[in-house]
Amino acid sequence: MKVRRSNRLVDMTRYLLEHPRELVSLKYFGERYGSAKSSISEDLSIIRTTLADWGVGRLETLPGASGGARLTPLYAEENATRVIDELVAAVNDDSRLLPGGYVYLSDLLGRPEILREVGRLVATQYVDKDVDVVMTVETKGIPIAQSVAMYLNKPFVIVRNSSHITEGSTVSVNYVSGSSQRIKKMELSRRTLKEGANVVIVDDFLKGGGTLNGMQSLINEFGAHLIGMTVFAEGQFSGQRLVEDCTSLIKVTAEDGVNKKISAQPGNYLVKVFGDQD
């Protein structure tokens, strides 16, 4: 059955968005809509231009028998700046300050609209990297990892603080908490990460960097490779952090005294992804 162009454009865009970074053959679309390849190519050109104009995705077309179309969700700098500013405004609330200089973020990281934005932001950072797996540690980093993995169209793995019988055999490492200087342990199932895999680490909050450093040690134990680390928020820390070169969407300065005060501002994401900011 032949499908009208307007209906075809809507369904084709929906399909590409639901299968990010996946190469879809023109033959598949042609058979799906009962249309010639030339018509499908014209439709893809419209979709490509529209996504680029709105700064929300990059559509590539590869020629040849094994070619097709591949949509990569991303944010242009203008959209990324808008989202970062919205996150800063949401976090810049003195009532979010917790003892020890931590910041309450659970309500934000439980909202689907924010997780979609955060996932696309982080995916944009690694859009041209060869990523195999997204890694996080239980529990607050899980929704972030899931969103990032969806846009990268890659699996995500969860590092546990203690072993679960459902995980099977595990690899464990001891690490030092950057903020409390206590020795802790984290574990990862042997089945979740392959040797040589390229891993992106995501988490909700960075303070001393002990947790991120522990995950980096786990990656080394598996013979995998760290591609990068990105956190939702970076807090202030007076000592020497245990990790370097971590990207943060926002940065929070907190005063945990008589007059509790939070000051949120953009992290280093925009500079690292788009270059120098004026």
Side-chain angles (χ1 to χ4, degrees):
M1 181 182 69
K2 191 171 180 62
V3 180
R4 294 174 56 187
R5 163 165 277 187
S6 57
N7 294 344
R8 202 167 63 217
L9 283 168
V10 171
D11 188 68
M12 194 181 301
T13 304
R14 176 202 62 79
Y15 187 91
L16 290 168
L17 287 170
E18 291 181 354
H19 298 78
R21 299 167 65 97
E22 179 180 312
L23 187 63
V24 185
S25 70
L26 270 60
K27 179 181 178 182
Y28 172 82
F29 281 137
E31 294 176 348
R32 182 180 179 90
Y33 307 120
S35 302
K37 285 187 178 180
S38 57
S39 297
I40 297 299
S41 295
E42 291 174 2
D43 293 344
L44 290 171
S45 180
I46 294 172
I47 295 172
R48 181 191 304 109
T49 301
T50 302
L51 293 175
D53 288 345
W54 286 95
V56 294
R58 181 176 69 199
L59 182 63
E60 304 168 273
T61 51
L62 283 69
S66 59
R70 177 166 53 219
L71 172 61
T72 303
L74 54 80
Y75 266 148
E77 183 175 359
E78 181 181 2
N79 286 329
T81 301
R82 171 187 56 81
V83 173
I84 294 288
D85 289 343
E86 291 173 354
L87 294 176
V88 167
V91 173
N92 203 9
D93 178 354
D94 295 343
S95 67
R96 293 187 175 278
L97 184 58
L98 300 173
Y102 291 95
V103 181
Y104 180 73
L105 301 171
S106 297
D107 60 329
L108 299 179
L109 299 180
R111 289 165 55 182
E113 69 274 18
I114 288 181
L115 288 171
R116 282 193 295 268
E117 302 276 42
V118 170
R120 194 183 287 261
L121 280 174
V122 179
T124 297
Q125 180 180 2
Y126 301 105
V127 70
D128 293 318
K129 302 290 186 180
D130 183 16
V131 178
D132 296 310
V133 177
V134 178
M135 175 184 285
T136 193
V137 65
E138 59 179 3
T139 57
K140 295 179 183 177
I142 294 175
I144 299 175
Q146 184 176 17
S147 183
V148 174
M150 180 186 70
Y151 284 110
L152 291 177
N153 201 12
K154 297 294 181 181
F156 72 96
V157 299
I158 304 170
V159 176
R160 304 290 184 181
N161 294 317
S162 59
S163 61
H164 293 231
I165 192 171
T166 54
E167 297 290 315
S169 63
T170 62
V171 174
S172 65
V173 296
N174 293 326
Y175 69 100
V176 179
S177 169
S179 55
S180 66
Q181 294 298 305
R182 293 169 52 195
I183 301 295
K184 297 183 178 181
K185 184 174 75 170
M186 59 173 58
E187 304 185 23
L188 183 64
S189 172
R190 292 184 181 275
R191 303 187 182 200
T192 57
L193 195 59
K194 295 181 179 179
E195 183 178 356
N198 295 325
V199 185
V200 166
I201 293 176
V202 300
D203 205 2
D204 64 319
F205 198 80
L206 165 65
K207 197 172 185 184
T211 302
L212 296 179
N213 188 48
M215 284 191 279
Q216 189 171 353
S217 296
L218 264 179
I219 290 173
N220 293 335
E221 287 292 325
F222 277 86
H225 308 295
L226 175 65
I227 298 300
M229 296 181 286
T230 304
V231 295
F232 178 81
E234 170 191 353
Q236 63 188 27
F237 188 68
S238 58
Q240 180 68 38
R241 282 201 167 121
L242 298 177
V243 294
E244 298 178 352
D245 200 28
C246 181
T247 303
S248 60
L249 304 186
I250 61 176
K251 186 174 183 178
V252 183
T253 302
E255 296 179 12
D256 191 10
V258 177
N259 298 316
K260 295 187 176 182
K261 181 72 175 177
I262 282 181
S263 176
Q265 60 187 31
N268 60 2
Y269 174 90
L270 294 173
V271 173
K272 294 192 69 172
V273 176
F274 299 105
D276 293 338
Q277 301 288 305
D278 296 329

